[in-house]
């Protein structure tokens, strides 16, 4: 047995500070002093508390306010019986620093994986009606900039019918915006920008690009991309009135490499079914590939380059899909292409300001 004197003690019931001595027993220790609960207390029930200027302080696990302070210091004879002071925090000290670090990294990796994969799991289960409401609101945020020059929309609709027979039908518009880009919006809405029509050399080029965007619609990539760009608030917070914000997010969104590849495969398949030559689409990507070298300067104007994967491999994929012996025909005739090309130029009502408004 060891006697230790010079301790002060609070019993957790009163504010009286007791002067006590401590005596070791076989299974723990007892306190000796007037008006105190002597114990016996087990060493294993002690926990280290914040130290007092008088010395190290210990409490009991299940008794709030119970304290003993070794005001005269801890004798070496019992030092090994007392818990070590916390270095990092309770659970970290219990596990040990390196083991706790491993647990933290594992939990962080699981959390990051869940956040990254959540759109893949959730998007296919979102009702199309909900997605359509979101897409319709985004379309409304274009503020009347959809072009409707004579015969243009009819030509575009004819082109869409040639390359897509899916359900529900996609709705494609041309916006009077000079960017060389196209974007698939939720709910089967697709917007071609005037700059893309101006850049295209033939309707077959548009067919390939549009087939790619339709592929994103059919594969339900659109909401996945929006959730990755704007976060789960798209679902958790509801669509609300933030259509402009989500439209910006959609324009800035990028699809995964797998999604882009799947959309290209869809476009190539649709061109094959419609007997439309993939050569023109390959030529379009060849020109885009040439622009990629100076992407830094051209990114604002060439949105298609900045928001889609490198064009060189896509050019190769489309060119290699050409089938020997197949007779190809333009997706729409020359008059329809002329009407589509000038759909914005020939529309006196469409707002002339084509600067980015969102």
């Amino acid at each position: 047995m060891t006697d230790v004197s010079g301790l002060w003690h609070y019993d957790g019931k009163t504010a009286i500070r007791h002067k006590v001595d401590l005596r070791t027993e076989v299974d723990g220790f007892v306190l000796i002093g007037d008006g105190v609960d002597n114990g016996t207390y087990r060493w294993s029930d002690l926990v280290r508390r914040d130290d007092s200027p008088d010395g190290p302080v210990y409490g009991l696990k299940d008794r709030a306010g119970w304290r003993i302070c070794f005001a005269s210091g801890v004798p070496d004879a019992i030092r090994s019986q007392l818990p070590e002071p916390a270095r990092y925090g309770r659970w970290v000290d219990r596990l040990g620093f390196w083991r706790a670090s491993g647990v933290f990294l594992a939990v962080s990796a699981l959390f990051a994986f869940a956040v990254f994969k959540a759109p893949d799991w959730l998007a296919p289960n979102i009702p199309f009606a909900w997605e359509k409401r979101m897409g319709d609101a985004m379309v409304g945020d274009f503020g009347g900039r959809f072009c409707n020059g004579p015969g243009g929309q009819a030509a575009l609709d004819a082109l869409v019918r040639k390359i897509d027979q899916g359900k529900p039908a996609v709705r494609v518009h041309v916006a009077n915006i000079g960017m060389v880009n196209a974007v698939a919006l939720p709910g089967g809405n697709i917007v071609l920008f005037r700059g893309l029509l101006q850049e295209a050399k033939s309707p077959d080029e548009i067919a390939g690009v549009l087939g790619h965007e339709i592929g994103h619609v059919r594969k339900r990539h659109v909401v996945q991309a929006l959730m990755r760009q704007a976060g789960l608030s798209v679902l958790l917070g509801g669509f609300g009135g933030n259509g402009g914000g989500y439209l910006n997010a959609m324009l800035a969104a990028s699809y995964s490499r797998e999604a882009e590849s799947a959309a290209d495969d869809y476009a190539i398949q649709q061109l094959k079914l419609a007997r439309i030559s993939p050569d023109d689409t390959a030529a379009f990507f060849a020109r885009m590939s040439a622009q990629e070298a100076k992407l830094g300067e051209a990114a604002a104007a060439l949105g298609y380059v900045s928001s889609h994967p490198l064009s060189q491999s896509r050019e190769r994929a489309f060119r290699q899909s050409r089938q020997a012996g197949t007779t190809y025909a333009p997706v729409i005739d020359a008059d329809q292409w002329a009407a589509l090309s000038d759909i914005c130029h020939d529309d006196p009502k469409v707002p002339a300001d084509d600067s980015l408004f969102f």
Side-chain angles (χ1 to χ4, degrees):
M1 291 189 298
T2 301
D3 289 337
V4 183
S5 60
L7 289 78
W8 58 250
H9 167 60
Y10 288 102
D11 59 14
K13 301 175 183 176
T14 69
I16 300 174
R17 179 165 162 164
H18 301 276
K19 292 184 61 177
V20 297
D21 295 332
L22 181 149
R23 174 174 295 168
T24 61
E25 300 284 347
V26 174
D27 297 326
F29 63 91
V30 297
L31 298 179
I32 302 171
D34 294 336
V36 300
D37 179 1
N38 303 102
T40 301
Y41 303 100
R42 293 183 300 182
W43 296 111
S44 59
D45 287 338
L46 288 178
V47 290
R48 184 66 179 260
R49 303 296 186 188
D50 292 338
D51 287 348
S52 157
D54 299 329
V57 177
Y58 298 85
L60 285 179
K61 291 178 180 176
D62 300 324
R63 194 177 299 183
W66 191 98
R67 298 285 189 274
I68 56 173
C69 173
F70 290 82
S72 299
V74 177
D76 291 339
I78 64 170
R79 189 178 301 279
S80 62
Q81 304 283 5
L82 298 172
E84 294 291 332
R87 297 182 62 186
Y88 307 105
R90 294 179 179 177
W91 72 273
V92 176
D93 287 324
R94 282 198 298 271
L95 288 177
F97 176 78
W98 292 111
R99 186 175 295 177
S101 297
V103 171
F104 178 77
L105 289 175
V107 171
S108 298
L110 285 174
F111 179 76
F113 178 78
V115 170
F116 180 76
K117 296 299 292 184
D120 294 345
W121 301 330
L122 296 174
N125 297 304
I126 293 176
F128 186 77
W130 181 94
E131 187 181 329
K132 184 174 182 301
R133 285 197 300 273
M134 173 180 282
D136 290 347
M138 289 184 185
V139 166
D141 281 326
F142 276 84
R145 284 176 171 77
F146 289 150
C147 306
N148 197 27
Q153 188 63 47
L156 181 57
D157 292 344
L159 187 154
V160 173
R161 285 194 299 272
K162 270 288 193 62
I163 62 170
D164 184 67
Q165 299 295 323
K167 300 289 183 182
V170 296
R171 295 175 297 174
V172 186
H173 306 277
V174 177
N176 192 27
I177 296 172
M179 287 182 67
V180 182
N181 209 349
V183 60
L185 303 178
N189 294 285
I190 296 175
V191 178
L192 304 179
F193 293 166
R194 172 176 50 79
L196 180 65
L197 291 177
Q198 293 173 329
E199 176 69 24
K201 306 299 183 187
S202 76
D204 291 3
E205 291 188 7
I206 295 299
V209 172
L210 190 53
H212 175 91
E213 299 302 328
I214 294 174
H216 283 314
V217 171
R218 298 298 177 214
K219 304 292 182 182
R220 303 296 299 271
H221 296 156
V222 180
V223 175
Q224 291 177 12
L226 181 60
M227 290 170 63
R228 285 199 180 91
Q229 186 69 25
L232 293 177
S233 61
V234 172
L235 292 181
L236 302 177
F239 182 55
N242 193 26
Y246 290 142
L247 179 57
N248 270 330
M250 202 68 247
L251 286 170
S254 59
Y255 297 102
S256 67
R257 180 175 299 179
E258 292 78 12
E260 293 288 7
S261 179
D264 272 352
D265 290 345
Y266 183 91
I268 288 171
Q269 182 63 25
Q270 295 308 108
L271 293 181
K272 284 181 180 176
L273 291 174
R275 292 181 178 273
I276 301 167
S277 172
D279 289 345
D280 287 22
T281 307
F284 171 81
F285 287 131
R287 296 199 302 278
M288 292 298 101
S289 180
Q291 297 286 354
E292 286 167 2
K294 45 186 179 182
L295 177 62
E297 298 176 359
L302 290 171
Y304 201 86
V305 172
S306 61
S307 60
H308 288 76
L310 294 177
S311 300
Q312 194 170 15
S313 61
R314 306 180 72 192
E315 173 199 353
R316 186 165 52 249
F318 276 86
R319 201 173 296 285
Q320 290 176 347
S321 71
R322 180 180 180 85
Q323 294 178 300
T326 299
T327 301
Y328 295 110
V331 63
I332 53 178
D333 63 33
D335 290 341
Q336 289 173 310
W337 175 232
L340 177 56
S341 300
D342 290 333
I343 188 172
C344 295
H345 180 267
D346 292 345
D347 182 359
K349 296 180 181 178
V350 71
D353 179 13
D354 67 355
S355 60
L356 293 179
F357 55 91
F358 36 92

